[in-house]
Amino acid sequence: MQQRTQLTLSFLLFQVLLLTFAEDLECIPGFQQKIFRIEQPAEFIEDQLILNLTFNDCKGNDKLRFDVSHPYFKVKPDGALVALKNISNVGPALFIHGRSSKAEDMAEVVILGGEDSHGSLKEIFTFPRTSAVPRQKRSIVVSPILIPENQRQPFPRDVGKVVDNDRPEGSKFRLTGKGVDQEPKGIFRINENTGSVSVMRTLDREVMATYQLFVETTDVTGKTIEGPVSLDVIVIDQNDNRPIFKEGPYIGHVMEGSPTGTTVMRMTAFDADDPSTDNALLRYNILQQTPDKPSPNMFYIDPEKGDIVTVVSPALLDRETLENPKYELIIEAQDMAGLDVGLTGTATATILIDDKNDHSPKFTKKEFHATVNEGVVGVIVNLTVEDKDDPTTAAWRAVYTIINGNPGQSFEIHTNPQTNEGMLSVVKPLDYEISAFHTLLIKVENEDPLVPDVAYGPSSTATVQITVSDVNEGPVFHPDPMTVTKRENITIGSMLLTVNATDPDSLQHQTIRYSVYKDPAGWLNINPINGTIDTAAVLDRESPFVHNNIYTALFLAIDSGDPPATGTGTLQIRLEDVNDNAPLIYPTLAKVCDDAKDLNVVILGALDKDLHPNTDPFKFELNKQMGSDKFWKISKINDTHAQVSLLQNLKKANYNLPVMVTDSGKPPLSNTTELRVQVCSCKKSKMDCSSAGIPHIRTTLVLLLSFFSLVWL
């Protein structure tokens, strides 16, 4: 009986071992079901079972752990997928990464009807469907590797494994790509014999979110047997970045009296974490408002958009009644959708309550007074106003207008930009003898128009009473300037004219005396009693003191007041020309070659300081008494120029040729000038006049001797 029992037990143990062996033969490491499909519920309930996952690494699942693509879900050690809080929308899919010390795999939970609210990890986990299913029949089988960022020591750390069911004996695995043999190098490595993939150091998703590696098998010589096959490494985001406000300073403006709900500005923070997760899902909040008057809650911020809006009535947004028209808000941005576990960042928003023109300017008094001396220009009085609007805006800046009492446009008013006062000025001198008093009516407005429910009142106008004081005014010449036309060279003592000056002070009986003030050439006298002007010297139209035929002098008229007043008058004498300047020739030096074929020596021109008709046409002549016409001739070219030519070649020497030029005046004037002609030797286009500068005998003497020789013959 005992033996039979032992046989039975042995048989049962054999059956168990046989079943276990069979399971081992059929066991494929990883999730036993890769894809799940569930309906989108109204809400995932916290800690309520969603589904069960089965992971088997065929080696006892040592150190098994799970990572879920959404931070609000987790997989319990028994494989139960649950939510960490009540949540309604998570997107179209969840991805679960399972990893033990011996194997790893990924499963997908498809949520039918799920909306992609702010991205999905499926967009990041871009790899062929065949590579995610180790059961596919292929030699090299790879699964995407999911690695959380910010892992701590120890390293290296096994993160996945590559399987090759048909790998030839002696072949090896080889891993390449960015993160292995390309920059950044040395992050991953593969065990060439087992296919185990390891990470060598901590990863940072914000530096690189995915790595695309390539796996191949090689023979002992390094030649590729199969591959390369793409291996995707996805870095799972951790909430390790605080929200940051990058665009400061943040300054917003809102008009006073704005209706409740007026948008002031938008605050936007940046979170470097994965935007498809709640690690970068931000919520905004106002932590503090300064000042807290008239309400501690003047503004509200939209927690999702970051828009700051007004929440008080328009009456509380009255800039003129606020202690300070500037508010500072400390704004907090918190990730994880505002949960307490979220990281925070803060910034200051400055909100300025802008002024609108809801207060009209008002004069500080109804009547202003000013006293001004006659004949004086400039500011005579400053008109002051009050305005409760913002002094830095056009709603405060005043614009003044004279609306009555200024028919002669003798007054102007301008705004002082610093004080906003109206500066009333005299721009045309006032005359006491015409009017001793003036009354102006002035209004004040703002640069900006008033708001519709505000109008300008009686206080926006004022009267200015101006008293003109009598002063001793200087005499005035009539006319001024005084003009007279005379011929130059008239006899000294000739009378030019008698000036006339009157005293504007008609109520005062004063006498006037005259004197010369400015007489540049010293040509004039004036009788101090009757104002008669005569010549003290010859008037010369060609003088440097005459410009455009006009000579200008200034005279004074001085009254008998105490102190005396002076007036200045201008005399302009237009001088008519007379023929008192003989013409001059130019040039006075010429050169010619002793063997020249062209016997033309020089073209002479003539200048005359006089005016037409006392100038050209000019007459050019040679002095025939010296016998020059035997060797030279002069020919007219036009009214102002003549050609001097040789009648035959002369020897190398200097010759002085007398040339007379006569103008066309009545009577005409003539002038004789010696033209110096150098006859030079010319060889190879070079002119040598050196020896011609020292003639052996005077040229005039040679010409004279030649003339007598001809007579004797």
Side-chain angles (χ1 to χ4, degrees), residues 511-579:
T511 59
I512 297 175
R513 295 180 63 84
Y514 300 96
S515 65
V516 177
Y517 179 41
K518 288 185 179 179
D519 179 16
W523 291 345
L524 307 174
N525 290 320
I526 188 168
N527 187 301
I529 305 300
N530 61 23
T532 300
I533 300 175
D534 58 16
T535 60
V538 175
L539 306 183
D540 184 5
R541 192 198 64 83
E542 291 76 34
S543 167
F545 298 107
V546 176
H547 302 284
N548 296 324
N549 304 321
I550 294 177
Y551 178 72
T552 300
L554 301 180
F555 295 88
L556 297 179
I558 308 167
D559 66 19
S560 57
D562 185 18
T566 302
T568 303
T570 301
L571 172 62
Q572 294 180 336
I573 305 173
R574 180 175 295 276
L575 294 174
E576 295 179 342
D577 186 45
V578 298
N579 193 20

Side-chain angles (χ1 to χ4, degrees), residues 22 28 52 81 447 554:
I28 298 176
N52 284 306
L81 175 64
E447 289 184 6
L554 301 180

Side-chain angles (χ1 to χ4, degrees), residues 417-634:
Q418 280 73 42
T419 65
N420 215 29
E421 295 177 346
M423 301 182 296
L424 181 63
S425 302
V426 176
V427 294
K428 293 182 180 179
L430 304 177
D431 191 339
Y432 171 84
E433 285 71 28
I434 295 177
S435 177
F437 300 96
H438 297 268
T439 300
L440 305 180
L441 184 61
I442 297 176
K443 72 174 181 178
V444 62
E445 297 175 327
N446 290 129
E447 289 184 6
D448 276 355
L450 295 173
V451 295
D453 56 341
V454 178
Y456 294 104
S459 297
S460 295
T461 59
T463 301
V464 182
Q465 300 290 350
I466 302 168
T467 301
V468 181
S469 299
D470 187 26
V471 297
N472 186 22
E473 301 172 81
V476 178
F477 284 87
H478 303 283
D480 189 27
M482 301 162 284
T483 59
V484 65
T485 300
K486 296 292 180 179
R487 290 173 61 87
E488 65 174 332
N489 299 338
I490 61 175
T491 306
I492 297 175
S494 299
M495 188 186 78
L496 301 181
L497 81 164
T498 299
V499 300
N500 178 34
T502 59
D503 192 341
D505 299 310
S506 57
L507 301 181
Q508 304 177 27
H509 301 287
Q510 300 183 127
T511 59
I512 297 175
R513 295 180 63 84
Y514 300 96
S515 65
V516 177
Y517 179 41
K518 288 185 179 179
D519 179 16
W523 291 345
L524 307 174
N525 290 320
I526 188 168
N527 187 301
I529 305 300
N530 61 23
T532 300
I533 300 175
D534 58 16
T535 60
V538 175
L539 306 183
D540 184 5
R541 192 198 64 83
E542 291 76 34
S543 167
F545 298 107
V546 176
H547 302 284
N548 296 324
N549 304 321
I550 294 177
Y551 178 72
T552 300
L554 301 180
F555 295 88
L556 297 179
I558 308 167
D559 66 19
S560 57
D562 185 18
T566 302
T568 303
T570 301
L571 172 62
Q572 294 180 336
I573 305 173
R574 180 175 295 276
L575 294 174
E576 295 179 342
D577 186 45
V578 298
N579 193 20
D580 57 349
N581 290 279
L584 299 173
I585 66 166
Y586 67 92
T588 58
L589 175 66
K591 296 180 180 181
V592 64
C593 293
D594 57 0
D595 58 352
K597 295 180 180 180
D598 182 3
L599 298 180
N600 291 328
V601 177
V602 66
I603 294 176
L604 295 180
L607 293 176
D608 196 317
K609 294 182 180 180
D610 293 319
L611 298 178
H612 190 77
N614 297 321
T615 56
D616 61 272
F618 298 112
K619 181 180 179 181
F620 297 87
E621 298 177 283
L622 295 176
N623 192 331
K624 296 181 180 181
Q625 294 180 357
M626 303 301 296
S628 56
D629 56 341
K630 301 298 182 182
F631 302 96
W632 309 86
K633 75 173 181 177
I634 189 165

